[in-house]
Amino acid sequence: MECCFLAGLYNAGITRVFSGKCSEVAFPLGGIGTGNVSLGARGEFRDWEIFNRPGKGVSLPYTFFALWVKPENGEPFVRILESRIQPPFSKSHGFSSGELAGLPRFAESWMKVAYPFVQVSFEDKTSPVGIVLEAFNPFIPLDPDNSGIPCVLFRYRVKNLSGERLRVSVVALLLNAVGFEGYGDFNRPCFAGERKNEYREGKAFRGLFYSSTLPSNHLKFGTMTLVTTGESISIKTTWYEGGWFDGIHEFWDDFCEDGKLEETGEIELLGNEFPLSKPDVKVGSLVAHSVLEAGEERDFEFLLTWHFPNRVACWDTTDGTKAEDVDVVRNYYATLFSDAWEVAEYVVEKKKWLEQKSRDFTRALYGSTLPSYVIEALVNGIVALRSTTCFRIEDGTFLGYEGCFDTKGCCPGSCTHVWNYAQTVAFLFPQLEQSMRRVEFLRETDEEGRMNFRTIKAFGVDKDWNPEELWGKLPPAADGQLGTIVRLYRDWKLTGDNEFLKEVWEKAAQALDFAIRYWDTDGDGIPDGPQHVTHDVELYGPNPLTGILFLAAILAGTKMARFMGDEERARRYEETFSQGSQKIDELLWNGEYYVQKLENVDHYRYQFGEGCLSDQLFGQFLAHVAGLGYVLPKEKARRAISAIFRHNFRSSLGLHHNVHRAFALEDESGLLVCSWPRGKRPKFPLVYCDEVWTGAEYQVAAQLIWEGFVYEGLRLVKAVRERHDGYRRNPWNEVECGHHYVRAMSSWALLLSLSGFQYDMVQGTMSFHPVIHQDNFSVFWSTGKAWGIYRQRRVESGGIEWDIEVLGGDFSGIVVNLAEERLGGSDAKEDHD
């Protein structure tokens, strides 16, 4: 049984199906900057990350859903709404009571995803009902506020399969986790403050409101709600607080008896007045019940919301510091909602619209003719955007780590040379991307034009985070600073926001002028001084990574300067570009790809010299994304990207030697960061050279497609997705230096390259030229002005008919053209599905 909307997509084979035995699956549910709770393939809750920091492995005891079904003349069927717990079962004290491993569950479950919707179907031969969970958090392109709501909607669709009348109850249980501080002995959660559960009624919904006695400025202050739109309900506001397992005993017996709950009164018992164990649990339970006739089906709907407004007012997580002594800054969502109950009121009132717009996005993305594994790669970038890697503070500023450790951020400061790769935010929520440019240019670029590549001033002058305490004096990052110039051009063209460009132009021009002075020491148009890059080292001498990126930044700067009427800079930048583009080919082209030029590569540590670097064309990649065209000779760009795939892609890594971090291994396929096909590997080569980075793989795949190597590009994407199969790795978490690593947001460029989508909202034009399924093509598109679906099909006359469906934003004044030719060549193999 399927929820009707997603059934067609699943039956068409658009998405993978994950068995409950896929123990690595954890699908995050939450909004931009709100944190998440993840849903496992068994239907279980995992990784509670709603407390303003990552929480891989964080669980809440006694938090689950359960089903009670009874025919008129039969015994009740009672199950936890999960499939069976999977081995291993070895634990020092067995499974804890809070895990409820000793209660019956369904035999099997199956998970399917069509973002932002996730389905889990439960199967058991003895069950008189079919049951499917559908859960989601609203997701609407160009609307970061409604895509940043701290909530999850759970909808259990139950169908009577028995042939007779059934009484059905679905119960939701949630621990009051306000003030959560971590775990104590026996893995029991610890809390600050005194917690309180109360029953409330709202318009068209009712349920439980969780709070505590903590002051509003306390780091752990917050509220939660668990509500239902069901008309027939019963509740147990707070479990009986006896000793040992009294609370869960009393609850479970009450629920199993008739599928309803009663508030617990006073219980008079003798003996054991001072039990050895008295768990500090404040669990609330909410039941929705109904009667289903034979063949009838019904939805049981619940809503979880949370509101934890205060986060640490710096990048540091202040481990070891008392929560009450920490300076805090509010989350952006706390400026929209006063508490979790107000969140619930808003979601219930706007539910129909929020869901419909979210389904519009799902229809646009999953109804496209892009390969399913490409869609999965696109979605993973969205998941990273809505993970705890990213957050938004009260003034609206959008910030991010590079990734996350299990319980804190990893590599802070919205690092420019990693965020360079990320394209997802710019195309789906350009307002957030613009806030990053404002930080980089208006706060982090000094009067000389030197840009901090890790954000230091995001939380205010008096609360500076000082990276020098961690790593010493940080140099400016060549790839980060140059890439930010190209991204500014992209953002301007994508939104058509001339006022935004005017706001930041002078600081951006200073940053570009600094880059020319600082890195091009001999004035020949190629950076040659020490160049700090994303490999966490300085590259020395001319090299393609920074050299080609330098050309892209100069070209972008030329075009922006000319628009701004800054003719002196425009002429100077043009001369530098002309000189540099010629010099790159003369100096760095080895006949097959671009190399680093050093007289003695072993004179410095961590260089690549004659190596074939996968990121050598990164500047050309950014230029294509931004619509700048070629900064290199077209044919050489094609030959170089072909060489990268030929030399660096491994169909099996079983015999590959890698003493660095291993993100792919054994029989898996992947693209190496660097290889030395002609020998001359340095004694101490480029750091990370033997690793596999998904963000680089997506970037190279998109570049391959742009240059005409469609088969090779798709093969590379498929290799990434095959590694994330739910058994080996979580399909919704691409790891590099941390969980949900932002470099993987380079995947959005796959949509651009496969659809041939080009945009210029300054001129009000956009165009498409798909490289697959041209006779019947459909794709999601988005700019800073609108979003929707583009379709084209070949008609009997041989021509192409096309149409645009606008699903959001303002499309007025935009002209659509079919591009007459694509960027690259045409020697692609037909293996697109």
Side-chain angles (χ1 to χ4, degrees):
M1 181 182 65
E2 311 284 358
C3 290
C4 58
F5 173 75
L6 298 181
L9 297 181
Y10 293 148
N11 293 337
I14 295 299
T15 187
R16 287 196 283 182
V17 178
F18 299 98
S19 160
K21 295 179 181 179
C22 293
S23 59
E24 287 298 301
V25 167
F27 182 80
L29 290 158
I32 299 171
T34 70
N36 300 270
V37 56
S38 291
L39 189 67
R42 295 193 301 106
E44 81 280 16
F45 294 129
R46 308 176 57 166
D47 302 342
W48 286 83
E49 301 180 289
I50 64 176
F51 309 109
N52 297 316
R53 62 186 298 164
K56 299 303 180 192
V58 172
S59 62
L60 297 183
Y62 306 116
T63 297
F64 62 96
F65 286 89
L67 173 73
W68 182 93
V69 180
K70 188 180 184 303
E72 289 186 351
N73 298 306
E75 292 298 314
F77 175 88
V78 189
R79 295 289 188 275
I80 299 290
L81 278 166
E82 301 172 6
S83 62
R84 291 170 182 163
I85 296 172
Q86 298 298 308
F89 298 149
S90 299
K91 293 192 174 188
S92 65
H93 288 64
F95 288 90
S96 70
S97 170
E99 295 170 279
L100 297 174
L103 293 181
R105 286 165 167 78
F106 282 79
E108 294 182 295
S109 62
W110 306 93
M111 175 184 278
K112 308 169 185 178
V113 171
Y115 199 86
F117 299 89
V118 57
Q119 276 190 359
V120 180
S121 58
F122 302 93
E123 297 182 6
D124 196 307
K125 292 180 180 179
T126 64
S127 175
V129 298
I131 185 163
V132 176
L133 163 65
E134 181 181 59
F136 76 100
N137 174 281
F139 184 84
I140 306 169
L142 309 189
D143 189 347
D145 289 3
N146 281 310
S147 301
I149 303 174
C151 74
V152 181
L153 191 143
F154 299 97
R155 186 177 293 139
Y156 286 90
R157 177 160 293 180
V158 181
K159 183 173 184 178
N160 184 347
L161 305 176
S162 70
E164 59 180 309
R165 196 167 188 253
L166 298 175
R167 291 162 54 201
V168 178
S169 295
V170 176
V171 63
L173 297 92
L174 176 67
L175 174 75
N176 184 337
V178 176
F180 176 71
E181 292 187 309
Y183 296 101
D185 294 340
F186 299 100
N187 207 35
R188 291 173 180 162
C190 302
F191 304 94
E194 295 293 327
R195 292 165 294 138
K196 179 184 178 182
N197 300 359
E198 63 178 292
Y199 173 72
R200 287 186 178 184
E201 294 188 356
K203 185 179 179 181
F205 72 99
R206 68 215 70 182
L208 300 170
F209 178 70
Y210 298 164
S211 60
S212 80
T213 59
L214 292 173
S216 61
N217 63 345
H218 193 284
L219 181 63
K220 304 298 183 180
F221 171 79
T223 55
M224 305 169 69
T225 71
L226 176 64
V227 302
T228 181
T229 56
E231 294 182 359
S232 177
I233 72 165
S234 58
I235 63 167
K236 196 180 290 289
T237 306
T238 304
W239 284 3
Y240 171 64
E241 296 187 11
W244 291 100
F245 314 119
D246 293 353
I248 181 61
H249 260 305
E250 196 276 335
F251 158 78
W252 192 248
D253 289 346
D254 189 7
F255 180 65
C256 289
E257 182 180 6
D258 59 3
K260 297 181 180 180
L261 297 177
E262 295 180 357
E263 295 287 15
T264 306
E266 292 293 326
I267 299 178
E268 297 283 345
L269 294 174
L270 299 176
N272 290 303
E273 289 85 353
F274 304 100
L276 177 63
S277 178
K278 188 171 183 178
D280 180 21
V281 292
K282 285 283 191 301
V283 179
S285 311
L286 178 63
V287 183
H289 21 75
S290 186
V291 175
L292 270 65
E293 302 296 338
E296 185 181 3
E297 67 179 16
R298 185 160 298 170
D299 288 344
F300 294 76
E301 188 173 84
F302 298 85
L303 178 66
L304 166 69
T305 69
W306 60 91
H307 189 275
F308 293 95
N310 303 326
R311 64 182 304 120
V312 176
C314 65
W315 290 100
D316 189 5
T317 54
T318 66
D319 288 338
T321 305
K322 292 183 178 180
E324 56 268 30
D325 296 333
V326 173
D327 287 332
V328 299
V329 62
R330 289 197 304 165
N331 286 311
Y332 177 77
Y333 76 74
T335 69
L336 305 178
F337 305 104
S338 61
D339 60 19
W341 191 261
E342 190 171 327
V343 176
E345 288 178 326
Y346 179 81
V347 174
V348 172
E349 179 185 357
K350 301 288 186 182
K351 181 180 63 173
K352 184 177 180 180
W353 180 83
L354 291 169
E355 182 170 351
Q356 183 56 58
K357 298 310 293 182
S358 298
R359 291 197 186 278
D360 284 346
F361 171 74
T362 303
R363 174 169 63 91
L365 185 61
Y366 286 82
S368 78
T369 50
L370 299 179
S372 59
Y373 50 90
V374 170
I375 294 173
E376 204 172 86
L378 300 176
V379 165
N380 238 305
I382 300 173
V383 171
L385 159 64
R386 303 224 287 182
S387 74
T388 49
T389 294
C390 304
F391 58 97
R392 197 177 180 195
I393 58 177
E394 58 190 292
D395 66 0
T397 300
F398 179 74
L399 301 164
Y401 295 92
E402 293 180 29
C404 288
F405 292 114
D406 287 351
T407 58
K408 62 181 180 180
C410 177
C411 302
S414 302
C415 177
T416 56
H417 57 52
V418 175
W419 276 90
N420 263 346
Y421 291 74
Q423 308 303 319
T424 305
V425 182
F427 283 87
L428 290 176
F429 302 102
Q431 173 185 340
L432 302 184
E433 191 75 26
Q434 285 180 343
S435 83
M436 299 186 85
R437 297 296 86 74
R438 289 187 174 96
V439 169
E440 290 154 355
F441 290 120
L442 302 182
R443 299 191 198 178
E444 301 295 339
T445 300
D446 66 20
E447 293 307 311
E448 289 186 304
R450 179 193 296 260
M451 178 187 295
N452 296 317
F453 73 87
R454 294 191 187 275
T455 298
I456 295 173
K457 301 174 182 178
F459 301 98
V461 175
D462 296 330
K463 298 169 184 173
D464 281 359
W465 163 74
N466 185 2
E468 294 182 17
E469 295 178 1
L470 295 175
W471 299 296
K473 182 70 174 178
L474 291 179
D479 53 352
Q481 187 154 336
L482 293 167
T484 302
I485 302 293
V486 185
R487 289 190 286 154
L488 172 61
Y489 179 84
R490 174 202 63 192
D491 300 341
W492 171 48
K493 288 291 187 176
L494 186 59
T495 62
D497 190 344
N498 295 334
E499 295 305 312
F500 165 65
L501 179 62
K502 292 174 183 177
E503 179 185 0
V504 300
W505 168 247
E506 187 55 37
K507 295 300 293 187
Q510 288 177 14
L512 185 53
D513 291 342
F514 174 89
I516 296 171
R517 294 193 312 270
Y518 187 81
W519 286 298
D520 181 12
T521 62
D522 57 6
D524 66 350
I526 301 181
D528 52 15
Q531 303 145 63
H532 189 75
V533 295
T534 192
H535 301 85
D536 296 327
V537 297
E538 273 63 47
L539 293 179
Y540 296 90
N543 70 85
L545 173 58
T546 56
I548 298 171
L549 190 50
F550 185 80
L551 295 179
I554 294 295
L555 182 57
T558 302
K559 293 178 179 294
M560 290 187 288
R562 186 141 288 141
F563 176 84
M564 292 295 298
D566 195 341
E567 287 298 325
E568 186 278 327
R569 277 193 172 110
R571 287 193 297 271
R572 178 156 46 87
Y573 294 159
E574 274 185 330
E575 293 172 3
T576 302
F577 179 85
S578 177
Q579 187 179 18
S581 58
Q582 180 179 351
K583 190 74 171 179
I584 282 275
D585 282 324
E586 292 176 355
L587 190 61
L588 304 186
W589 181 251
N590 75 350
E592 190 180 11
Y593 53 87
Y594 292 96
V595 298
Q596 179 188 23
K597 278 297 180 182
L598 288 172
E599 288 187 12
N600 180 0
V601 73
D602 285 322
H603 182 73
Y604 303 98
R605 290 178 186 266
Y606 316 134
Q607 309 299 295
F608 64 93
E610 297 293 319
C612 182
L613 182 68
S614 286
D615 276 345
Q616 64 184 266
L617 297 180
F618 179 68
Q620 184 60 73
F621 165 83
L622 279 188
H624 280 336
V625 169
L628 284 166
Y630 281 93
V631 298
L632 297 169
K634 179 177 177 179
E635 184 56 31
K636 288 183 177 177
R638 296 190 70 243
R639 291 168 66 184
I641 198 67
S642 176
I644 290 169
F645 183 82
R646 199 165 59 249
H647 294 310
N648 293 7
F649 182 72
R650 301 289 186 270
S651 58
S652 172
L653 291 160
L655 298 179
H656 172 58
H657 293 227
N658 174 23
V659 298
H660 305 154
R661 304 167 301 182
F663 303 116
L665 64 159
E666 297 179 347
D667 63 337
E668 297 175 327
S669 303
L671 185 80
L672 304 184
V673 168
C674 193
S675 71
W676 284 264
R678 301 186 179 189
K680 299 184 180 180
R681 177 182 168 118
K683 181 172 180 57
F684 294 105
L686 183 71
V687 173
Y688 312 134
C689 63
D690 294 316
E691 296 180 357
V692 171
W693 294 351
T694 60
E697 288 175 301
Y698 290 142
Q699 175 250 134
V700 169
Q703 186 71 25
L704 281 162
I705 294 165
W706 268 315
E707 304 307 338
F709 301 100
V710 179
Y711 169 81
E712 291 82 355
L714 292 179
R715 186 181 178 195
L716 187 48
V717 178
K718 187 180 288 188
V720 180
R721 302 316 310 154
E722 287 174 347
R723 299 199 303 262
H724 294 79
D725 62 359
Y727 293 96
R728 302 178 187 218
R729 296 172 186 82
N730 182 4
W732 317 114
N733 181 7
E734 290 180 307
V735 170
E736 192 188 309
C737 191
H739 299 288
H740 306 295
Y741 199 73
V742 300
R743 197 190 310 270
M745 284 197 266
S746 59
S747 63
W748 201 260
L750 298 168
L751 182 149
L752 309 181
S753 60
L754 287 167
S755 66
F757 177 55
Q758 298 182 56
Y759 55 89
D760 186 343
M761 294 300 103
V762 177
Q763 299 298 321
T765 63
M766 64 185 199
S767 62
F768 298 85
H769 192 92
V771 298
I772 58 173
H773 307 310
Q774 292 95 334
D775 291 347
N776 184 19
F777 183 79
S778 175
V779 72
F780 168 86
W781 60 267
S782 58
T783 70
K785 292 184 178 294
W787 62 279
I789 303 170
Y790 168 80
R791 303 180 185 91
Q792 72 173 49
R793 64 185 182 90
R794 193 171 300 279
V795 295
E796 290 184 3
S797 64
I800 294 289
E801 287 186 351
W802 60 269
D803 70 88
I804 288 281
E805 181 179 357
V806 179
L807 296 172
D810 182 3
F811 195 68
S812 60
I814 298 175
V815 177
V816 180
N817 301 308
L818 286 180
E820 295 185 1
E821 65 173 321
R822 50 192 261 231
L823 289 169
S826 59
D827 50 348
K829 300 178 184 178
E830 290 294 325
D831 184 18
H832 305 145
D833 296 322

